[in-house]
Amino acid sequence: MTKTISEILDQDHFEKQDIVTLLSANEQDRNLLFERSAMIKEKYVGKRVFYRGLIEFSNLCAKNCYYCGIRAGNKQTNRYEITEDEILEAARYAYENKYGSLVIQSGERSDKSFVKRIASLVSRIKKLSNGDLGITLSMGEQTEETYKSWFDSGAHRYLLRIEVSNPELYLKYHPNDKKHDYFARLESLHLLRKVGYQVGTGVMIGLPFQTVHDLADDLIFFRNFDIDMVGMGPFIEHENTPLYQYKDELLSKSERFYLSLKMVAILRIMMKDINIAATTAMQAIDPLGREKAIKVGANIIMPNLTPSKYREDYLLYEDKPCLDEDANDCKQCLEARIHMAGGDIGYGEWGDSTHFKKRKKDEIK
Ligand code: 5AD
Ligand code: SF4
Ligand code: FES
């Protein structure tokens, strides 16, 4: 006999089939899921939403992921790297406005000068904020030595999305070569944990060839890895990428959006005390996308601090929001939106995941 959504929601543990049923819920049933996840969020992480001011450091990338608008093979992109002064200015803005933390993201590179520059930038940001600003890096796969040098410079969280947790499916979205090796990426996640970072990962939702069974496996992957933070959002096609050829086979954008919302809600129930981001890609589909994600379980938001002149060159996908806005516009806009969604902002706090803190304590025991 198949279980009802309410029966599943009353269980302490979800098996894969339960997750598949939840992901397939119709409009009425999905509201039961959203109500439950909102309650769990309120109980375990509360109303507070933490900011991670996002600096899109550079769109230079050595990789060629088939979905991404800034892949090396896209010759239409105008490549940039933000100057050191501009980064420090953005960091100062974050500090003065009590953002708590920064996320510095860029395309993947591993040349020596890049590695050194990041280490020195991280130290300088720590210094200008008297150690107060938390720093998250998102710079792809690197060697253990590089991860260590950035950690020693002061970064304490790292985001590396696995993109899809199934190695066979991974091959459909990446070239089959050494630079795009699923197992190397997985190893990187282990290295990051070994070095001491709070580790975040994530996936894209609604990719061609991907089913709800794959997405259920993705959620189970997060649980098995005992991850500290997750950022996931809808796949959005980009014209100058190989995956664009499947654009007519995709779920509608609204379906991808609701599937993403269900992923956030289910994950909040499965992993009650981790940090979950309300991602920009959700807002690209629905103008209230991030607010809706916050209501059903997300507790992290990344206001864009990238200087306006670079924003339109960091186009991973179409319809990316906030291209004409600057840091101040996004700050005011977000504040109003978060309050509307019933949240309050954790100004001046790092907002580390309580999951990480517990995991660390358990390691010491
Ligand atoms: N649609 C949605 N997300 C994308 N990303 C890259 N390209 C796309 C796209 N077309 C995501 C990837 C990557 C993150 C930085 O952006 O998950 O890890
Ligand atoms: Fe580069 Fe990341 Fe885009 Fe892949 S997803 S092409 S690694 S920026
Ligand atoms: Fe950037 Fe609303 S968050 S304009």
Side-chain angles (χ1 to χ4, degrees):
M1 212 184 74
T2 45
K3 295 182 220 165
T4 65
I5 298 284
S6 302
E7 281 167 345
I8 295 174
L9 291 173
D10 284 338
Q11 293 171 194
D12 293 334
H13 184 87
F14 297 157
E15 298 296 338
K16 179 168 173 184
Q17 186 51 48
D18 300 327
I19 301 175
V20 169
T21 307
L22 292 173
L23 286 173
S24 317
N26 63 24
E27 209 173 315
Q28 203 183 355
D29 282 347
R30 86 179 174 217
N31 287 331
L32 292 176
L33 164 66
F34 294 157
E35 279 162 25
R36 182 64 62 101
S37 65
M39 249 169 56
I40 297 220
K41 182 195 160 185
E42 177 96 28
K43 180 164 171 204
Y44 288 87
V45 294
K47 279 190 190 325
R48 197 145 288 178
V49 176
F50 296 103
Y51 275 1
R52 315 281 185 237
L54 173 65
I55 303 176
E56 293 154 332
F57 171 69
S58 167
N59 66 356
L60 282 147
C61 184
K63 286 177 115 168
N64 253 318
C65 308
Y66 293 156
Y67 41 82
C68 178
I70 64 169
R71 64 198 298 273
N74 181 9
K75 302 296 176 211
Q76 320 257 24
T77 295
N78 181 22
R79 304 285 164 175
Y80 74 86
E81 186 172 296
I82 302 187
T83 66
E84 201 143 321
D85 284 348
E86 286 168 323
I87 291 232
L88 294 175
E89 197 184 315
R92 200 165 294 121
Y93 178 91
Y95 182 50
E96 284 167 1
N97 286 281
K98 303 200 166 37
Y99 273 22
S101 297
L102 287 180
V103 177
I104 311 176
Q105 190 174 74
S106 91
E108 191 172 311
R109 282 157 64 189
S110 41
D111 48 288
K112 264 201 179 131
S113 66
F114 174 78
V115 171
K116 270 194 149 162
R117 253 190 96 195
I118 298 299
S120 119
L121 267 172
V122 169
S123 317
R124 291 186 66 185
I125 292 171
K126 285 308 260 192
K127 213 165 166 190
L128 83 77
S129 67
N130 298 314
D132 281 356
L133 272 178
I135 301 181
T136 307
L137 295 179
S138 177
M139 320 223 136
E141 292 161 49
Q142 306 287 343
T143 61
E144 181 173 355
E145 199 188 349
T146 298
Y147 286 147
K148 198 162 179 325
S149 89
W150 293 345
F151 186 80
D152 292 341
S153 305
H156 80 288
R157 307 187 197 103
Y158 203 102
L159 304 174
L160 183 74
R161 289 189 179 182
I162 192 74
E163 314 294 2
V164 283
S165 63
N166 175 335
E168 274 158 43
L169 211 48
Y170 195 88
L171 284 170
K172 298 220 183 266
Y173 313 126
H174 303 91
N176 186 7
D177 60 24
K178 267 176 101 179
K179 244 196 231 172
H180 302 80
D181 177 8
Y182 172 87
F183 295 97
R185 199 160 182 88
L186 189 58
E187 176 60 17
S188 272
L189 282 174
H190 287 286
L191 286 178
L192 286 163
R193 173 164 291 170
K194 182 175 160 208
V195 169
Y197 287 96
Q198 282 175 56
V199 184
T201 191
V203 293
M204 282 174 287
I205 298 156
L207 286 156
F209 318 114
Q210 187 189 43
T211 66
V212 282
H213 292 264
D214 298 315
L215 291 169
D217 284 333
D218 290 341
L219 292 174
I220 291 171
F221 172 87
F222 302 149
R223 180 169 67 193
N224 289 345
F225 196 90
D226 197 23
I227 200 78
D228 303 310
M229 332 181 271
V230 171
M232 54 188 172
F235 163 68
I236 304 172
E237 63 274 27
H238 186 297
E239 197 176 351
N240 301 323
T241 61
L243 281 195
Y244 196 69
Q245 61 186 298
Y246 303 108
K247 67 177 192 320
D248 298 328
E249 293 161 39
L250 301 171
L251 293 173
S252 72
K253 281 195 176 159
S254 155
E255 286 168 317
R256 275 177 263 165
F257 176 77
Y258 277 102
L259 201 50
S260 304
L261 215 51
K262 286 174 180 168
M263 288 284 282
V264 168
I266 299 168
L267 182 63
R268 175 54 74 204
I269 301 176
M270 290 170 69
M271 301 188 77
K272 298 180 169 47
D273 57 358
I274 64 169
N275 278 349
I276 304 178
T279 55
T280 313
M282 296 193 77
Q283 197 198 342
I285 294 188
D286 182 327
L288 292 175
R290 290 181 298 184
E291 293 82 333
K292 291 179 182 169
I294 285 174
K295 275 203 169 145
V296 306
N299 67 327
I300 300 290
I301 216 158
M302 294 156 73
N304 201 327
L305 290 180
T306 310
S308 306
K309 67 177 183 211
Y310 299 117
R311 290 193 184 190
E312 62 183 51
D313 290 324
Y314 203 84
L315 277 196
L316 307 177
Y317 45 80
E318 290 173 356
D319 301 326
K320 199 167 161 240
C322 310
L323 294 188
D324 297 323
E325 280 75 16
D326 65 15
N328 242 336
D329 297 328
C330 289
K331 175 178 190 273
Q332 275 160 21
C333 165
L334 267 182
E335 214 160 48
R337 283 163 176 266
I338 291 169
H339 288 145
M340 232 163 54
D344 69 58
I345 302 160
Y347 280 120
E349 294 175 59
W350 279 10
D352 284 338
S353 93
T354 40
H355 188 77
F356 174 78
K357 292 180 200 155
K358 271 195 210 137
R359 196 160 55 69
K360 278 276 145 195
K361 258 198 210 148
D362 290 344
E363 275 171 21
I364 296 165
K365 269 184 208 159

